[in-house]
């Protein structure tokens, strides 16, 4: 009988960006600036405007994942996404930003994952093994975007 894995992962990193620059980078549209091959398909609202309850999908590795922005608190610099990869896994993603000072932002990221199948459990184990490396890569990709944006201006 199938037994779902349920796992919580957390981590953080600091960006040398002010909070008003850093925070929008974790919206679906903001991630298109720094995440290679991130191409969300927006269902609601169709223009991809960031609002609580927005619905979109992404594709990666032959899978389609459906997302909603379940909790959006701009005043608190916080997002909570809920996503499902049908037949594989159910995931909640929390991203919270806090100003360290006027020029630096701490980004806290947590994932709560539940397997929906043996393949989903395997995907969760793989994801967990690379979680902290993923966060380090996010930071590197954001810094590369920042550097290329400053050279272009």
């Amino acid at each position: 009988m199938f037994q779902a894995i349920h796992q919580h992962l957390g981590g953080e990193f600091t960006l040398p960006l002010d909070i008003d620059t850093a925070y929008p980078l974790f919206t679906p549209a903001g991630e298109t600036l720094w995440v290679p091959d991130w191409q969300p398909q927006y269902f609601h609202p169709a223009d991809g405007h960031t609002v609580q309850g927005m619905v979109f999908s992404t594709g990666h590795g032959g899978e389609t994942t459906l997302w909603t922005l379940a909790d959006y608190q701009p005043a608190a610099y916080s997002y909570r996404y809920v996503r499902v990869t049908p037949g594989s896994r159910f995931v909640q993603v929390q991203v919270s930003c806090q100003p360290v000072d006027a020029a630096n932002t701490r980004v806290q990221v947590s994932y709560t994952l539940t397997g929906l199948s043996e393949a989903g459990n395997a995907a969760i184990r793989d994801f967990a093994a690379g979680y902290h490396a993923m966060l380090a890569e996010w930071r590197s990709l954001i810094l590369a975007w920042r550097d290329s944006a400053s050279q272009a201006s």
Side-chain angles (χ1 to χ4, degrees):
M1 178 175 206
F2 172 70
Q3 290 190 336
I5 289 178
H6 182 78
Q7 185 165 7
H8 180 79
L9 303 165
E12 65 180 48
F13 55 94
T14 300
L15 291 171
L17 297 168
D18 66 86
I19 191 138
D20 291 322
T21 302
Y23 176 68
L25 294 174
F26 301 98
T27 66
E31 289 194 22
T32 64
L33 299 172
W34 59 273
V35 178
D37 301 323
W38 176 261
Q39 299 174 343
Q41 178 185 352
Y42 299 109
F43 298 108
H44 172 75
D47 67 359
H49 181 75
T50 303
V51 294
Q52 186 164 316
M54 71 183 302
V55 177
F56 61 98
S57 68
T58 58
H60 182 73
E63 294 182 315
T64 298
T65 298
L66 303 169
W67 298 72
T68 188
L69 180 52
D71 191 19
Y72 177 46
Q73 298 180 28
Y77 301 105
S78 179
Y79 307 97
R80 185 173 59 88
Y81 296 93
V82 175
R83 70 181 214 200
V84 65
T85 305
S88 181
R89 58 206 175 276
F90 182 90
V91 181
Q92 295 183 58
V93 183
Q94 177 81 37
V95 179
S96 299
C97 298
Q98 297 88 31
V100 175
D101 54 37
N104 295 282
T105 299
R106 179 177 301 109
V107 181
Q108 295 175 310
V109 181
S110 67
Y111 277 68
T112 303
L113 308 101
T114 303
L116 303 176
S117 65
E118 291 298 344
N121 283 351
I124 290 169
R125 284 192 282 280
D126 290 345
F127 182 82
Y131 185 72
H132 292 289
M134 178 192 77
L135 294 183
E137 181 183 29
W138 283 16
R139 184 178 189 281
S140 295
L141 289 168
I142 291 169
L143 295 180
W145 163 80
R146 179 205 60 185
D147 294 345
S148 66
S150 67
Q151 289 175 359
S153 52

